[in-house]
């Protein structure tokens, strides 16, 4: 059973979501919080597996809350709850260690499956929504800054350093698949997938698999891989 904490400044939202998620056998909501600082305090006390975090809150928002939790509890996963208009904040949260994001109005089944995916080591980046958000960022003055944050100053040509298999794995990271799911897809061991992911991160000078997933979406690795 996956133990989670729900963080939202609106009591109706967090209580309602807690009630819905507690109906599922895979998940147990062990606490709620109204902002990022209270989320950290509750997380330190209750030791959740995952924190479901709203991105916009008074006081300590979800981006800073994610940073604090990931700093003090690096094994605890954070999954963001957001709206489409929060594009730049979403990428800030991913930079601070969040394992993905969900829109608040997504079906409960989608939220549950996303929690399971992140708990298993995957990343949740809804492909169509992420592409739309990147299009919005391209029209903003912050594009260059955002690209540099994710790709650490490297240019997309660095993907030529990857083998064909590493490109395929990178593509699946962009879809949010876990190591286990990638292993099953390509009929290889999880250990082999882990090695491929490590090579991808090293060759592209990225920080972790979340940045690799963002890289895959941002540079449309699926399209590149088909060329």
């Amino acid at each position: 059973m996956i133990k989670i904490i729900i963080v939202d400044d609106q009591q109706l939202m967090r209580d309602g979501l807690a009630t819905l998620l507690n109906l599922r056998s895979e998940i147990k909501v062990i606490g709620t919080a109204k902002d990022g600082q209270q989320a950290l305090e509750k997380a330190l006390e209750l030791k959740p597996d995952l924190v479901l975090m709203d991105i916009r809150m008074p006081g300590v928002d979800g981006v800073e809350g994610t940073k604090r939790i990931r700093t003090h509890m690096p094994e605890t996963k954070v999954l963001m709850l957001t709206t489409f208009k929060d594009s730049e904040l979403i990428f800030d949260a991913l930079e601070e260690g969040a394992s993905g994001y969900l829109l608040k109005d997504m079906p409960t089944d989608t939220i549950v499956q996303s929690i399971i995916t992140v708990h298993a080591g995957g990343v949740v980046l809804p492909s169509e929504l992420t592409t739309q958000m990147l299009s919005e960022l391209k029209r903003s003055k912050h594009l260059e800054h955002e690209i540099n944050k994710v790709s650490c100053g490297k240019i997309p040509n660095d993907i030529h350093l990857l083998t064909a298999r590493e490109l395929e794995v990178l593509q699946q990271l962009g879809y949010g698949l876990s190591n286990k799911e990638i292993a099953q897809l390509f009929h290889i061991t999880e250990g082999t997938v882990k090695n491929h992911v490590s090579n991808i991160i090293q060759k592209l000078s990225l920080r972790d698999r979340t940045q690799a997933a963002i890289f895959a979406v941002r540079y449309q690795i699926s399209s590149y891989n088909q060329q």
Side-chain angles (χ1 to χ4, degrees), residues 95-132:
E95 274 293 298
E96 297 298 350
S99 294
Y101 72 94
L102 297 168
L103 297 185
K104 288 187 175 183
D105 58 359
M106 284 182 168
T108 304
D109 285 346
T110 301
I111 295 175
V112 170
Q113 186 55 54
S114 298
I115 289 172
I116 293 171
T117 296
V118 169
H119 181 254
V123 177
V124 177
L125 295 172
S127 181
E128 291 184 8
L129 295 170
T130 303
T131 300
Q132 290 175 8

Side-chain angles (χ1 to χ4, degrees), residues 18-68:
T19 299
L20 289 173
L21 293 179
N22 271 330
L23 295 174
R24 307 301 291 260
S25 60
E26 310 97 320
I27 294 170
K28 181 176 179 60
V29 179
I30 59 173
T32 61
K34 65 180 180 181
D35 69 5
Q37 178 56 33
Q38 190 175 81
L40 173 61
E41 294 168 0
K42 288 287 186 74
L44 289 170
E45 174 190 355
L46 301 174
K47 305 295 190 297
D49 300 307
L50 181 145
V51 176
L52 198 57
M53 178 95 70
D54 186 19
I55 204 163
R56 286 188 183 272
M57 295 178 288
V60 178
D61 67 13
V63 175
E64 179 61 25
T66 297
K67 178 180 180 180
R68 295 183 188 186

Side-chain angles (χ1 to χ4, degrees), residues 129-146:
L129 295 170
T130 303
T131 300
Q132 290 175 8
M133 288 191 299
L134 288 171
S135 296
E136 291 296 320
L137 285 175
K138 286 178 182 178
R139 290 195 286 270
S140 78
K141 64 181 180 180
H142 301 296
L143 174 62
E144 183 176 356
H145 173 63
E146 291 294 328

